Amino acid sequence: NYNFDERYLFEANLRNDVSSKFAKGNRSGWFPSLSAGLRISEEAFYGNMKNYVSSMKLRGSWGLVGNNRIDDYAYMSTVGVAPGYNFGNNVVNVASFTAANPDIKWESTSMVDLGLDLGFFDNSLNITLGYFNYTTNDILVKLPVPGIFGIGNEFPVQNAAKVRNQGWEVSANYRFKTGDFEHNISGNLSDSKNKVLDTRGEYWINGTDINTIIREGYAMNSYYAYRWNGFFQNEQEVADGPWLDGITPKPGDIRYVDKTNDGLIKEDDDRFILTDNFPHYTFGFSYGLKWKGFDFSMFWQGVGKRNVWLRGESVEAFHNNNEGPVFDFHLDRWTPTNPGASYPRLTVGSESANNAAKSDFWIQDAAYLRLKNLQIGYPLPKEWLSKSFVKDLRVYLTGQNLLT
């Protein structure tokens, strides 16, 4: 650590981690970090600026952190023995070998943070601005390898991916008085973006009921599905298509975008890489008030933008062909007399195959604002308690998640 006159601040760290999850020679990982701060408002040239901006501090940091969260002994091929072949009436054991990669090592995340701290009105109002950029290198993943390698679908772990997360944050806090009232207002807003930078040209699809994809140039686990393009309104629109491969739609069914313009919607050719499900524009706001012993506080919290793919009872009436549940929003179904409905025609069993296909029709807006906490209280005057064995007594009313 170094501190010069509370103006120049510096810190350096060096960390060494050793893990038995890697082979000898790769078990040690060195992870340094540096941080520095400059209190500009303490410089001589700042002068009369303090009348407008009471304090100003510029800060930045850089560091590496490591990750070794993989299965034990991934660097070592293990042997399994199990019955395998029949010779007449005799069953003979066979040995199988797992794929291994003795060269795996620590993955590391490079973390860059920049910030500016500002104070106004004798620091009664404080504002903080921040930016971060985290890049993870040598990510330990099981990338597919050519079939000629001869290991089936059990791929070895490799240091073979790179992902970046970057974003910003702004927060403010203001304390002030108006007569007998003391106010405290604070808030924050932040956002971040995720992007896969390198997977050695490979990509892979995850999930069963909901599919996500990991692919270079997109956010981690982006939704992977068809795009819906309205409902078929009549038999002529059905005849014009396009159709899901192997499924004949009917009026009131969901129509999908034919990316290849061949008249058929095929899983391998016509799915799109869609939005991700990460929350964006996460925010919070709080207000506190004190007046003649009484205190009041509330905290609001929410997300400004988020997309979530829902399945099951939350979106499907008579899910799994059961008797329920059916919610109010399920009732706005397509019928010939209700062509502008928000839901396709009501179907059960095999009739649902077209509408149940994985598409962005089921991706919904999940932004929200919530009154997370509200409280009002009053501490009884000490003179009221002087003749009792109670030193302090505060009566309060509080509520959690009162409004969403």
Side-chain angles (χ1 to χ4, degrees), residues 226-230 242 254-261 264-266 269-272 360:
Y226 302 124
R227 289 191 186 276
W228 82 291
N229 188 23
I254 299 174
R255 180 175 53 213
Y256 302 104
V257 174
D258 183 9
K259 188 163 65 171
T260 57
N261 292 315
L264 287 178
I265 308 297
K266 299 183 289 294
D269 300 329
D270 293 299
R271 287 194 286 180
F272 291 82
D360 63 350

Side-chain angles (χ1 to χ4, degrees), residues 311-313 315-326 330 333 345-353 355-356:
R311 297 304 297 262
E313 292 90 345
V315 292
E316 299 170 18
F318 305 108
H319 179 64
N320 287 337
N321 301 329
N322 293 325
E323 295 180 359
V326 177
H330 289 145
R333 292 281 176 177
R345 68 186 178 99
L346 184 61
T347 57
V348 295
S350 59
E351 284 286 299
S352 303
N355 298 333

